[in-house]
């Protein structure tokens, strides 16, 4: 149990003790990694490791924001709906309004960001319950999203939009590189910045 929960300060001996509980997930991942390395000959193959990191990196951009909310003691139930909403909105821009892929992606991100900002403003400014507000946003966005999806039936996104996350810097996907950079920066900020 954390000192924040108990209100008790740790003494010097307790501070020196290693907190095994907070490292449990690291141990489990390490054991699984070793097990798969020993039992699957292709597991340590570059393409396989790259594929695992790529799959993780795509979800990372939602999870990192959710992690910070949990640290602050808040919840956002609309994350999944907003992910879907952004993708569908980008498809509408490309197919209905004939926008190029990159401007459509940028505009969809801006609109999703504005919705998130409004939710955050309502929660912080008026002290509203974050779960209740984001459930409302989730339902509204999900309903609007289904309306847009019906307009997309039988249509395909442009190749540039579908290959956006597949672009590489050298032989590494750019989203993997961005994920690593963000993790390093945020870890430094969490440890060094009073604001974070």
């Amino acid at each position: 149990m954390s000192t924040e929960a108990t209100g008790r300060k740790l003494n010097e001996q307790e501070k020196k003790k290693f907190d095994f509980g907070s490292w449990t997930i690291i141990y489990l991942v390490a054991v699984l990694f070793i097990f798969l390395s020993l039992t699957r000959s292709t597991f340590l193959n570059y393409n396989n490791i790259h594929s695992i990191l790529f799959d993780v990196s795509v979800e990372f951009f939602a999870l990192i924001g959710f992690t910070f909310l949990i640290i602050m003691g808040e919840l956002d139930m609309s994350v999944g709906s907003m992910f879907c909403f952004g993708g569908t909105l980008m498809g509408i821009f490309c197919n209905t309004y004939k926008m190029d892929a990159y401007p459509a992606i940028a505009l969809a991100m801006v609109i999703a960001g504005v919705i998130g900002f409004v939710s955050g403003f309502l929660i912080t400014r008026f002290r509203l319950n974050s779960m209740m507000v984001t459930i409302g946003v989730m339902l509204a966005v999900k309903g609007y999203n289904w309306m847009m999806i019906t307009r997309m039936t039988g249509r395909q996104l442009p190749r540039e939009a579908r290959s956006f996350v597949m672009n590489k810097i050298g032989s590494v996907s750019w989203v993997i590189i961005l994920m690593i950079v963000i993790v390093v920066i945020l870890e430094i900020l969490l440890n060094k910045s009073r604001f974070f």
Side-chain angles (χ1 to χ4, degrees):
M1 187 174 289
S2 68
T3 57
E4 289 80 5
T6 62
R8 185 176 65 85
K9 292 184 178 180
L10 297 177
N11 60 41
E12 290 303 317
Q13 188 177 1
E14 289 174 321
K15 287 180 182 178
K16 291 177 181 178
K17 287 183 180 178
F18 189 77
D19 184 7
F20 288 96
S22 59
W23 288 80
T24 303
I25 191 67
I26 303 296
Y27 298 146
L28 292 175
V29 170
V31 169
L32 184 61
F33 187 88
I34 293 168
F35 173 76
L36 292 173
S37 300
L38 295 174
T39 58
R40 298 288 185 269
S41 59
T42 58
F43 180 74
L44 289 177
N45 181 287
Y46 173 80
N47 289 332
N48 185 57
I49 297 298
H50 186 275
S51 177
I52 292 170
L53 289 174
F54 176 77
D55 289 342
V56 169
S57 67
V58 172
E59 296 177 359
F60 163 82
F61 299 104
L63 296 177
I64 192 64
F66 205 85
T67 300
F68 270 83
L69 284 175
I70 291 173
I71 290 171
M72 293 186 291
E74 302 290 348
L75 286 174
D76 186 348
M77 306 302 292
S78 65
V79 172
S81 296
M82 290 302 297
F83 249 51
C84 186
F85 173 76
T88 309
L89 197 59
M90 183 259 297
I92 291 291
F93 291 149
C94 289
N95 286 309
T96 304
Y97 299 106
K98 307 303 179 187
M99 291 178 64
D100 291 333
Y102 293 125
I105 291 169
L107 185 56
M109 288 177 65
V110 167
I111 292 173
V114 168
I115 294 171
F117 177 81
V118 170
S119 298
F121 177 79
L122 291 174
I123 292 164
T124 56
R125 180 69 177 83
F126 299 104
R127 307 277 188 195
L128 301 177
N129 183 286
S130 60
M131 182 183 287
M132 294 299 102
V133 171
T134 55
I135 285 175
V137 172
M138 175 190 74
L139 294 173
V141 166
K142 187 183 288 187
Y144 187 68
N145 195 45
W146 277 114
M147 291 170 55
M148 292 193 296
I149 287 174
T150 58
R151 296 172 59 185
M152 293 276 292
T153 304
R155 299 183 184 181
Q156 191 175 42
L157 294 174
R159 190 170 63 85
E160 295 82 6
R162 286 181 281 125
S163 64
F164 176 65
V165 296
M166 303 301 292
N167 293 329
K168 294 184 176 182
I169 298 174
S171 60
V172 181
S173 174
W174 70 271
V175 290
I176 295 176
I177 296 171
L178 182 59
M179 175 184 70
I180 293 170
V181 169
I182 290 174
V183 165
V184 170
I185 291 172
L186 291 179
E187 183 64 22
I188 292 170
L189 290 173
L190 279 171
N191 285 286
K192 302 295 183 183
S193 168
R194 293 185 65 185
F195 176 78
F196 275 80

